[in-house]
């Protein structure tokens, strides 16, 4: 990945980006449990306190294992395609037992019950990391919405709108990484009388951390921060904070 420098005013995001505590450690966003080796270089990093840095790892392992178990239809390490996740399940019998207990088979369909609090906790943590790194926006307060769903279950129209680049109407924090990633495109508009006008558009696109493993899009839409995350091309999510300073 390209490591972009942030030239934004970062005074607002001093301290642990999750709780505001001391800057004790550097935390990767996303955590490596969602990626496969060789890991991308220059992964985004944010400041975290020691408690927060370690405090999410069990839930993150749970989410990574849940996704692969759903894809495989089983929590048996021998059937899991990602080696890192198979090894977590091999050394964590309790986690495997928990996933096995949540598995049901009905009419030949395998389903896993999920622990929504843990999924939410992880997505919110990841979204806070992306908002801080990409947008220089501290989003420590409660979000307005946290939604997630299987990517494959989206209707075509919903999927198109979810996948599209976002056209920026108002500019985000000047110098933030998200603005440096912006693609500038030009659109030629033609009126019925043949007159043309060229307008510039700013489009903020997805950041692909690793193909098939993890991508995200962070949008500062003047008053609303919106982060979309797709993990394993399976779990799609959108986390928003309204009422932000524009
Ligand atoms: Zn913290």
């Amino acid at each position: 990945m390209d490591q972009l420098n942030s030239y934004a005013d970062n005074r607002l995001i001093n301290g642990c980006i999750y709780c505001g505590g001391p800057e004790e450690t550097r935390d990767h966003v996303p955590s490596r449990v969602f990626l496969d080796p060789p890991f991308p270089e220059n992964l985004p990093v944010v400041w975290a306190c020691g408690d927060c840095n370690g405090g999410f790892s069990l839930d993150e392992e749970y989410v990574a294992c849940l996704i692969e178990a759903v894809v495989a239809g089983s929590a048996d390490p021998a059937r899991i395609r990602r080696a890192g996740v198979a090894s977590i399940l091999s050394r964590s019998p309790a986690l495997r037992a928990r996933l096995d207990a949540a598995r049901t088979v009905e009419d030949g369909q395998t389903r896993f019950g999920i622990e929504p609090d843990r999924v939410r906790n992880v997505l919110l943590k990841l979204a806070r990391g992306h908002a801080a790194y990409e947008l220089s926006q501290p989003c420590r307060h409660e979000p307005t919405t946290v939604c997630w769903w299987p990517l494959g279950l989206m209707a075509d129209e919903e999927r198109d709108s979810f996948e599209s680049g976002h056209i920026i109407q108002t500019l985000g924090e000047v110098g933030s990484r998200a603005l440096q990633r912006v693609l500038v495109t030009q659109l030629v508009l033609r009126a019925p009388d043949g007159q043309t006008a060229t307008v510039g558009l700013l489009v903020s696109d997805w950041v692909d951390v690793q193909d098939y493993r993890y991508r995200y899009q962070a949008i500062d839409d003047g008053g609303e921060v919106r982060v979309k995350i797709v993990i394993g091309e399976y779990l799609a999510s959108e986390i928003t904070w309204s009422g932000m300073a524009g």
Side-chain angles (χ1 to χ4, degrees):
M1 291 185 71
D2 293 336
Q3 181 80 284
L4 302 176
N5 291 315
S6 174
Y7 301 106
D9 178 353
N10 280 323
R11 280 171 301 182
L12 289 175
I13 53 167
N14 278 344
C16 169
I17 61 121
Y18 307 114
C19 75
E23 293 180 349
E24 291 168 335
T25 60
R26 304 284 260 167
D27 194 30
H28 288 109
V29 242
S31 331
R32 288 181 172 186
V33 72
F34 297 114
L35 307 172
D36 291 330
F39 299 113
E41 288 174 20
N42 297 323
L43 276 177
V45 282
V46 293
W47 283 107
C49 72
D51 285 349
C52 286
N53 194 322
F56 293 97
S57 47
L58 284 179
D59 285 350
E60 289 183 316
E61 288 189 348
Y62 164 77
V63 171
C65 291
L66 173 69
I67 290 171
E68 291 310 304
V70 169
V71 170
S74 164
D76 177 355
R79 296 188 51 191
I80 298 288
R81 59 182 180 171
R82 290 187 54 210
V85 169
S87 100
I88 293 171
L89 286 166
S90 300
R91 66 175 153 77
S92 317
L95 176 54
R96 185 182 167 188
R98 212 157 155 156
L99 289 169
D100 280 338
R103 178 175 180 266
T104 53
V105 181
E106 208 176 306
D107 301 329
Q109 290 262 5
T110 305
R111 291 198 169 81
F112 283 85
I114 63 162
E115 300 178 43
D117 291 351
R118 304 183 83 185
V119 175
R120 183 184 193 278
N121 192 33
V122 168
L123 292 172
L124 188 50
K125 180 239 180 184
L126 293 165
R128 285 187 166 127
H130 296 315
Y133 183 85
E134 290 289 329
L135 307 173
S136 301
Q137 284 279 18
C139 292
R140 296 186 184 104
H141 54 299
E142 273 300 292
T144 312
T145 57
V146 181
C147 305
W148 69 86
W149 60 90
L151 186 66
L153 290 190
M154 296 180 93
D156 288 351
E157 242 172 67
E158 289 174 320
R159 176 81 186 247
D160 287 348
S161 119
F162 180 76
E163 295 286 355
S164 66
H166 178 75
I167 296 169
I168 297 173
Q169 323 257 341
T170 52
L171 296 181
E173 182 73 26
V174 173
S176 68
R177 292 186 177 88
L179 270 189
Q180 295 174 56
R181 292 194 202 276
V182 155
L183 311 171
V184 181
T185 60
Q186 284 196 330
L187 197 65
V188 180
L189 302 175
R190 192 178 301 274
D193 64 6
Q195 291 250 12
T196 59
T198 305
V199 291
L201 288 177
L202 302 173
V203 181
S204 134
D205 211 351
W206 288 83
V207 178
D208 288 306
V209 177
Q210 190 173 54
D211 285 351
Y212 304 107
R213 295 273 67 87
Y214 195 100
R215 58 193 172 101
Y216 66 89
Q217 193 182 42
I219 299 160
D220 183 345
D221 212 355
E224 185 182 66
V225 165
R226 193 155 77 239
V227 180
K228 301 182 199 176
I229 301 169
V230 177
I231 307 176
E233 287 304 304
Y234 176 80
L235 182 69
S237 58
E238 187 167 273
I239 298 90
T240 63
W241 285 267
S242 314
M244 304 288 296

